[in-house]
Short mmCIF file of all heavy atoms in Angstrom, two decimals:
data_model
loop_
_atom_site.label_atom_id
_atom_site.label_comp_id
_atom_site.label_asym_id
_atom_site.label_seq_id
_atom_site.Cartn_x
_atom_site.Cartn_y
_atom_site.Cartn_z
N VAL X 203 -18.73 56.91 27.54
CA VAL X 203 -19.70 57.09 26.44
C VAL X 203 -20.00 58.58 26.33
O VAL X 203 -20.29 59.24 27.35
CB VAL X 203 -21.02 56.32 26.74
CG1 VAL X 203 -22.05 56.55 25.64
CG2 VAL X 203 -20.73 54.85 26.94
N LYS X 204 -19.94 59.13 25.12
CA LYS X 204 -20.23 60.55 24.95
C LYS X 204 -21.69 60.82 25.23
O LYS X 204 -22.56 60.09 24.74
CB LYS X 204 -19.92 61.00 23.52
CG LYS X 204 -18.46 61.20 23.28
CD LYS X 204 -18.22 61.82 21.93
CE LYS X 204 -16.72 62.02 21.76
NZ LYS X 204 -16.39 62.65 20.50
N GLY X 205 -21.97 61.83 26.04
CA GLY X 205 -23.36 62.20 26.30
C GLY X 205 -23.65 63.51 25.59
O GLY X 205 -22.86 64.44 25.67
N LYS X 206 -24.77 63.57 24.89
CA LYS X 206 -25.10 64.81 24.17
C LYS X 206 -26.21 65.54 24.93
O LYS X 206 -27.39 65.21 24.81
CB LYS X 206 -25.58 64.48 22.76
CG LYS X 206 -24.48 63.96 21.85
CD LYS X 206 -24.12 65.02 20.82
CE LYS X 206 -23.09 64.57 19.82
NZ LYS X 206 -21.71 64.69 20.29
N THR X 207 -25.80 66.52 25.73
CA THR X 207 -26.77 67.25 26.56
C THR X 207 -27.88 67.87 25.71
O THR X 207 -29.05 67.84 26.07
CB THR X 207 -26.04 68.34 27.37
OG1 THR X 207 -25.07 67.67 28.18
CG2 THR X 207 -26.99 69.09 28.28
N ARG X 208 -27.48 68.40 24.56
CA ARG X 208 -28.47 69.03 23.68
C ARG X 208 -29.58 68.02 23.33
O ARG X 208 -30.77 68.35 23.38
CB ARG X 208 -27.78 69.52 22.40
CG ARG X 208 -28.69 70.15 21.39
CD ARG X 208 -27.92 70.46 20.12
NE ARG X 208 -27.34 71.78 20.15
CZ ARG X 208 -27.97 72.89 19.78
NH1 ARG X 208 -29.21 72.83 19.39
NH2 ARG X 208 -27.38 74.05 19.82
N ASP X 209 -29.20 66.76 23.05
CA ASP X 209 -30.19 65.74 22.66
C ASP X 209 -31.06 65.33 23.84
O ASP X 209 -32.27 65.18 23.70
CB ASP X 209 -29.48 64.48 22.11
CG ASP X 209 -28.77 64.77 20.81
OD1 ASP X 209 -28.98 65.87 20.26
OD2 ASP X 209 -27.99 63.91 20.36
N THR X 210 -30.43 65.12 25.02
CA THR X 210 -31.25 64.65 26.15
C THR X 210 -32.22 65.75 26.60
O THR X 210 -33.36 65.45 26.95
CB THR X 210 -30.38 64.16 27.34
OG1 THR X 210 -29.45 65.17 27.69
CG2 THR X 210 -29.65 62.89 27.01
N VAL X 211 -31.75 67.00 26.57
CA VAL X 211 -32.66 68.11 26.95
C VAL X 211 -33.83 68.16 25.97
O VAL X 211 -34.99 68.31 26.36
CB VAL X 211 -31.88 69.46 26.98
CG1 VAL X 211 -32.83 70.65 27.08
CG2 VAL X 211 -30.90 69.48 28.16
N GLN X 212 -33.53 67.98 24.71
CA GLN X 212 -34.57 67.98 23.66
C GLN X 212 -35.55 66.81 23.87
O GLN X 212 -36.76 66.96 23.73
CB GLN X 212 -33.88 67.81 22.31
CG GLN X 212 -34.79 67.96 21.11
CD GLN X 212 -34.43 69.22 20.36
OE1 GLN X 212 -33.24 69.42 20.08
NE2 GLN X 212 -35.38 70.06 20.10
N ASP X 213 -35.00 65.64 24.24
CA ASP X 213 -35.84 64.46 24.41
C ASP X 213 -36.77 64.59 25.61
O ASP X 213 -37.90 64.10 25.59
CB ASP X 213 -34.99 63.19 24.52
CG ASP X 213 -34.31 62.86 23.19
OD1 ASP X 213 -34.66 63.51 22.18
OD2 ASP X 213 -33.44 61.99 23.17
N VAL X 214 -36.30 65.24 26.67
CA VAL X 214 -37.19 65.48 27.82
C VAL X 214 -38.31 66.43 27.38
O VAL X 214 -39.48 66.24 27.75
CB VAL X 214 -36.40 66.04 29.04
CG1 VAL X 214 -37.35 66.43 30.16
CG2 VAL X 214 -35.41 65.00 29.54
N ALA X 215 -37.97 67.42 26.58
CA ALA X 215 -39.00 68.36 26.08
C ALA X 215 -40.04 67.58 25.25
O ALA X 215 -41.25 67.83 25.35
CB ALA X 215 -38.35 69.45 25.25
N THR X 216 -39.59 66.62 24.46
CA THR X 216 -40.51 65.81 23.64
C THR X 216 -41.40 64.96 24.55
O THR X 216 -42.63 64.88 24.33
CB THR X 216 -39.71 64.90 22.67
OG1 THR X 216 -38.85 65.74 21.92
CG2 THR X 216 -40.62 64.12 21.74
N LEU X 217 -40.80 64.36 25.57
CA LEU X 217 -41.56 63.54 26.52
C LEU X 217 -42.63 64.38 27.21
O LEU X 217 -43.76 63.93 27.42
CB LEU X 217 -40.58 62.98 27.56
CG LEU X 217 -40.94 61.68 28.24
CD1 LEU X 217 -41.10 60.56 27.24
CD2 LEU X 217 -39.83 61.30 29.24
N LEU X 218 -42.27 65.60 27.52
CA LEU X 218 -43.21 66.51 28.19
C LEU X 218 -44.40 66.81 27.27
O LEU X 218 -45.53 66.95 27.73
CB LEU X 218 -42.47 67.81 28.54
CG LEU X 218 -43.11 68.75 29.54
CD1 LEU X 218 -43.42 68.07 30.86
CD2 LEU X 218 -42.17 69.94 29.80
N ARG X 219 -44.14 66.84 25.98
CA ARG X 219 -45.22 67.10 25.01
C ARG X 219 -46.09 65.86 24.85
O ARG X 219 -47.32 65.95 24.80
CB ARG X 219 -44.59 67.47 23.66
CG ARG X 219 -45.33 68.57 22.96
CD ARG X 219 -44.71 69.02 21.65
NE ARG X 219 -44.20 67.98 20.79
CZ ARG X 219 -42.92 67.79 20.53
NH1 ARG X 219 -42.01 68.58 21.07
NH2 ARG X 219 -42.52 66.82 19.74
N LEU X 220 -45.44 64.66 24.82
CA LEU X 220 -46.18 63.42 24.55
C LEU X 220 -46.88 62.88 25.80
O LEU X 220 -47.98 62.33 25.71
CB LEU X 220 -45.22 62.35 24.01
CG LEU X 220 -44.54 62.68 22.68
CD1 LEU X 220 -43.58 61.58 22.28
CD2 LEU X 220 -45.58 62.89 21.58
N GLN X 221 -46.23 63.01 26.96
CA GLN X 221 -46.81 62.50 28.22
C GLN X 221 -46.74 63.59 29.28
O GLN X 221 -45.96 63.52 30.24
CB GLN X 221 -46.01 61.29 28.72
CG GLN X 221 -45.96 60.14 27.74
CD GLN X 221 -45.03 59.03 28.23
OE1 GLN X 221 -44.52 59.04 29.33
NE2 GLN X 221 -44.82 58.06 27.37
#
Side-chain angles (χ1 to χ4, degrees):
V203 178
K204 282 188 179 182
K206 290 252 183 277
T207 300
R208 178 186 270 274
D209 294 351
T210 53
V211 168
Q212 187 111 50
D213 291 350
V214 173
T216 305
L217 207 59
L218 196 56
R219 219 177 41 248
L220 298 177
Q221 301 174 7

